[in-house]
Amino acid sequence: MALGHSLRLVLSPPHPAGRPFLIGGGVAALLGLLLLGTWLFWLGAAFVAFCLYFFRDPERVAPGRPGLVIAPADGKVVSIVPAVPPEELGLGPAPRWRVAIFLSVLDVHVNRMPVDGTVTRVAYRHGKFLSANMDKASEENERNAIALALPDGRDMAVVQIAGLVARRILSDAKVGDAVQAGERFGIIRFGSRTDVYLPEGVQALVSEGQTMIGGETVIAELGPT
């Protein structure tokens, strides 16, 4: 059963963001096969295989119990610290718990909404491309920040952060969108970080070094307001 699960994960259909890369690699492989030699064929085929793996988009099942905050990405928790949300979101100067998840190039890179709620603000900020596992990447790297209003009136944020290799952040989230926990909203190419700023007073239930499964792992419980 474990082998079957692993195969389904690896062989998941690719995210649409991977199509240009898959087509490019396929064209290179075809040119190599027909015109330019086997070296280009194998190079193109290897690139296609890598892209199929990197852009894989497996189905995930979010916990059905309301009031949970779900991991927005696969990867490893690299820090859990009090921090002020990105100023461009206008969520105020009060620190709140920030859970930072580092996505290696081997992780699934599709981002998912951490809670049920409504998108109230989306702000893209250009910046540096430091290694995403560094703590200062949250403040200095290029990012796409999303503010969410919860049904109970509280707010929180999820932030897509580019890394040393990643140079493109894609997001479908728009102001006014009603979203559900586990719903896909974007992807980052290639290797990155995703931060979650919990509502004020809510603490994380995960630990540094813990591995996250985006759309499934519970990282916090909202509790009463």
Side-chain angles (χ1 to χ4, degrees), residues 89-176:
L89 291 181
L91 297 183
R96 54 180 77 193
W97 287 103
R98 183 185 71 202
V99 179
I101 302 170
F102 172 70
L103 295 75
S104 78
V105 73
L106 298 179
D107 288 311
V108 172
H109 272 61
V110 177
N111 290 135
R112 299 170 182 270
M113 286 294 174
V115 293
D116 296 342
T118 302
V119 176
T120 58
R121 190 160 188 176
V122 179
Y124 196 97
R125 197 199 76 166
H126 295 284
K128 299 179 180 178
F129 295 96
L130 304 174
S131 178
N133 61 355
M134 300 174 63
D135 201 49
K136 60 183 178 180
S138 293
E139 286 77 33
E140 299 184 23
N141 277 24
E142 188 147 329
R143 67 192 183 212
N144 183 61
I146 300 169
L148 300 168
L150 279 60
D152 61 14
R154 287 181 286 183
D155 56 35
M156 61 178 294
V158 58
V159 185
Q160 301 168 285
I161 301 172
L164 184 64
V165 180
R167 298 286 164 149
R168 184 73 187 275
I169 299 172
L170 302 178
S171 174
D172 299 322
K174 298 178 180 61
V175 173

Side-chain angles (χ1 to χ4, degrees), residues 50-116:
F50 167 76
C51 288
L52 284 171
Y53 183 77
F54 179 85
F55 287 103
R56 66 197 187 280
D57 184 11
E59 293 296 328
R60 296 285 167 77
V61 180
R65 186 160 65 88
L68 300 177
V69 181
I70 311 302
D74 288 34
K76 181 180 291 185
V77 176
V78 291
S79 72
I80 303 172
V81 297
V84 177
E87 60 181 359
E88 60 265 28
L89 291 181
L91 297 183
R96 54 180 77 193
W97 287 103
R98 183 185 71 202
V99 179
I101 302 170
F102 172 70
L103 295 75
S104 78
V105 73
L106 298 179
D107 288 311
V108 172
H109 272 61
V110 177
N111 290 135
R112 299 170 182 270
M113 286 294 174
V115 293
D116 296 342

